[in-house]
Amino acid sequence: MRTVTKDTITQAFLDYCGAETDPRLRFVLEKFVTHLHDFVRETNLTHAEWRKGLELIEKAGDITTPERNEFVLMSDVLGLSSLVDMVNSPDEGTPSSVLGPFHILGAPDLPVGGDMKQDNEGAAVIVSGKVCDPEGAPIKGAEIEVWQTADNGLYSNQDNSQAEYNLRCHLVLGDDGIYKLSTIRPAPYTVPDDGPVGELLHATGRHPWRPSHLHFIITAPGYRSLVTEVFPSDDPYLDEDAVFGVRERLVMEYVEQSDVIAIPDGMEIAERLQAPFFTVDFDFVLTEEKA
Ligand code: BEZ
Ligand code: FE
């Protein structure tokens, strides 16, 4: 070991892993450390630069709380969260996208066709579609969770003026896989940029905006759970999302309606919405658990 050099240190590290090391752990660690060591060699990283990097990590630790995780945000703005999503998204299903830090457990149940908009200000939208398999057949037993920002660009857990579960709901779908709810057009918003991640964004001339979006978690027995987001085609930040969450297949269209459209009996939306409002039709495709 005393003969270790910059060219042999990577192998020296790998040789430290004992025979009992889990094979997957060994493989992942081997790749991780090899890339890290190559990074230092290729950049000729200086002590000052490495200290700066460590300071960034330290500041992320200082600012992280149960409500705000700067490490996750760092992974998001570096494109790592999205890359992990992409390598794990089956080709034939709806792509997954970042969960983000504003999801909370316990969203209230809403019947299919229910009113999530309530008294929120903003342009009214009816969002509907179906949850189906790759052949287009409806999936039985699907459940959907939805959450989004209010008109001021804030989630309920960022804004004391909103009720705890404002613009959040959970729908249990029927055998037809159809979902439908009323809401408002969510607003674009910025990721928190008052910490080390913001420093990084500003130092590289990047802005902290995300295009507006609706978050969804969709589950169904026997199918891979889908965590995703859907973005309107006319959003100004669609092609410059700070966290790389947009995919072509996650883009939706707002269609303006000037007439009150017929809504089947038993749905709450009809009493609440007056034209003009928007509709969005978006289907989700789930793939089988073991596919
Ligand atoms: C969000 O969509 O809520 C979000 C995602 C990543 C970072 C910050 C916010
Ligand atoms: Fe979000």
Side-chain angles (χ1 to χ4, degrees):
M1 183 58 73
R2 67 182 67 175
T3 58
V4 71
T5 69
K6 68 182 170 59
D7 297 318
T8 62
I9 191 167
T10 307
Q11 191 56 48
F13 168 82
L14 297 174
D15 291 345
Y16 268 149
C17 294
E20 66 280 19
T21 312
D22 172 80
R24 175 70 185 168
L25 175 62
R26 178 192 288 274
F27 178 71
V28 172
L29 210 54
E30 176 183 333
K31 294 292 173 195
F32 185 61
V33 172
T34 301
H35 285 290
L36 279 180
H37 286 191
D38 282 344
F39 158 72
V40 175
R41 282 185 285 253
E42 285 169 22
T43 56
N44 267 320
L45 200 69
T46 65
H47 284 101
E49 288 163 344
W50 184 226
R51 214 166 28 247
K52 182 91 185 141
L54 290 175
E55 268 167 31
L56 203 73
I57 295 170
E58 200 179 322
K59 283 190 206 164
D62 290 344
I63 207 169
T64 292
T65 63
E67 288 77 39
R68 171 171 182 178
N69 192 320
E70 195 77 356
F71 294 99
V72 175
L73 189 59
M74 185 78 81
S75 154
D76 295 340
V77 303
L78 291 177
L80 285 174
S81 307
S82 282
L83 190 52
V84 173
D85 271 341
M86 287 188 252
V87 298
N88 285 288
S89 257
D91 288 344
E92 65 283 19
T94 300
S96 58
S97 185
V98 291
L99 173 70
F102 302 117
H103 173 253
I104 50 176
L105 296 172
D109 287 330
L110 191 74
V112 175
D115 177 27
M116 184 173 83
K117 177 179 181 299
Q118 301 284 327
D119 297 324
N120 282 277
E121 296 288 325
V125 188
I126 296 176
V127 187
S128 64
K130 73 176 179 197
V131 176
C132 55
D133 68 17
E135 279 70 50
I139 290 176
K140 293 189 176 61
E143 300 188 20
I144 293 193
E145 234 187 285
V146 186
W147 71 104
Q148 67 168 90
T149 55
D151 206 31
N152 62 2
L154 295 174
Y155 288 90
S156 62
N157 49 347
Q158 295 177 287
D159 180 8
N160 290 336
S161 73
Q162 295 181 47
E164 186 179 5
Y165 288 107
N166 189 41
L167 295 170
R168 297 171 188 271
C169 72
H170 168 251
L171 276 70
V172 177
L173 310 188
D175 287 353
D176 57 8
I178 287 180
Y179 75 93
K180 185 171 210 156
L181 60 121
S182 69
T183 184
I184 53 158
R185 286 177 68 142
Y189 62 87
T190 58
V191 301
D193 65 344
D194 56 344
V197 167
E199 250 182 75
L200 193 70
L201 291 177
H202 299 142
T204 52
R206 283 174 60 182
H207 67 65
W209 286 93
R210 295 212 65 203
S212 63
H213 52 269
L214 296 164
H215 286 275
F216 290 89
I217 297 179
I218 302 169
T219 56
Y223 289 83
R224 288 172 65 122
S225 298
L226 176 67
V227 176
T228 196
E229 314 170 274
V230 176
F231 306 85
S233 57
D234 59 358
D235 193 286
Y237 297 106
L238 199 63
D239 290 312
E240 37 189 283
D241 182 2
V243 305
F244 308 93
V246 181
R247 313 277 177 275
E248 191 71 51
R249 281 154 64 205
L250 295 178
V251 177
M252 66 184 180
E253 300 290 335
Y254 284 126
V255 180
E256 187 163 353
Q257 306 289 340
S258 48
D259 295 322
V260 173
I261 54 172
I263 296 191
D265 286 348
M267 293 193 169
E268 295 173 27
I269 292 171
E271 291 104 55
R272 296 265 182 178
L273 288 192
Q274 288 178 354
F277 58 90
F278 296 87
T279 52
V280 165
D281 190 7
F282 194 90
D283 293 345
F284 294 96
V285 179
L286 301 191
T287 54
E288 282 184 31
E289 191 85 74
K290 292 278 181 289

